[in-house]
Amino acid sequence: MKLRRVFASGLALVLASGPAAAHPDITMECRVLFNFESGKLTGLGEAWTFDAAFSEQLVADYDEDHDGTFDDVESGAMEREVFGNLAGIHYYTFLTIADREQADLKPFGFRARQEGGLVTFAFGIKLPEPLDPALYPVRVELKDPEFAVYAVLSGDQPALLRGDAGGHCRAAIRDDRENPYFDGTVIPQEIRLVCS
């Protein structure tokens, strides 16, 4: 089956056995970048690296010239046919600012690359306006509520801060046990900006 048909439903694959026996079809290792300009948080950058089996399917479907890289046309096709279909589930990105979930995320700068047999999607999300995270607490969780995709933070630099010149902020990661998903069976990881 062509991968693009799988993504057409936003990766909400049918899990016939129910939550107790369900498992994700795809795993992606994630990194989040918090971008600061002039002391204010302006947006996020994300990188998702997919597991070997799913990466192999992406390469088979989208590296049409079989040269081991994704050119602009191939990457653009993935952005339209794969990534673009994830808007309804927030691009797996659940961003909360001052305890209000941000519903209308607008990603930009999407690109796909392959390295060592694994495919990575990278993109940015611009905040509606720059903000001071010391005044407006920021939290991010990456998850697929249908659990067809398991998003796990990378063990190597899962959260980075760029442009925080004064070093006033740090990224704190914890298991969000208060808000499990997929019928309460999966505990997401939360990244919280802690700023002075």
Side-chain angles (χ1 to χ4, degrees), residues 2 89 141-142:
K2 274 273 197 187
I89 48 176
E141 290 184 356
L142 300 179

Side-chain angles (χ1 to χ4, degrees), residues 38-117:
S38 303
K40 301 284 182 74
L41 182 68
T42 59
L44 308 176
E46 294 187 30
W48 306 342
T49 300
F50 295 103
D51 61 72
F54 191 63
S55 292
E56 183 178 340
Q57 186 64 59
L58 280 168
V59 171
D61 281 354
Y62 289 96
D63 185 12
E64 299 202 353
D65 58 7
H66 310 290
D67 69 349
T69 63
F70 297 122
D71 61 26
D72 290 345
V73 171
E74 294 161 343
S75 189
M78 272 186 280
E79 181 176 12
R80 288 189 309 277
E81 298 171 9
V82 179
F83 185 72
N85 287 313
L86 302 177
I89 48 176
H90 306 273
Y91 305 94
Y92 301 139
T93 303
F94 292 81
L95 171 64
T96 303
I97 299 173
D99 293 325
R100 295 185 61 182
E101 189 173 289
Q102 305 300 297
D104 189 23
L105 302 181
K106 294 190 173 13
F108 67 94
F110 175 90
R111 66 186 188 283
R113 71 176 188 275
Q114 43 180 313
E115 183 178 341

Side-chain angles (χ1 to χ4, degrees), residues 26-39:
I26 299 162
T27 299
M28 63 185 195
E29 188 174 276
C30 306
R31 288 184 172 86
V32 176
L33 171 82
F34 294 91
N35 191 63
F36 289 79
E37 295 176 19
S38 303

Side-chain angles (χ1 to χ4, degrees), residues 143-163:
K143 60 189 176 187
D144 173 14
E146 299 294 328
F147 203 46
V149 174
Y150 180 45
V152 60
L153 294 177
S154 169
D156 175 32
Q157 296 186 312
L160 301 170
L161 279 63
R162 179 175 64 194

Side-chain angles (χ1 to χ4, degrees), residues 10-24:
L11 281 179
L13 305 177
V14 178
L15 301 172
S17 301
H23 59 83

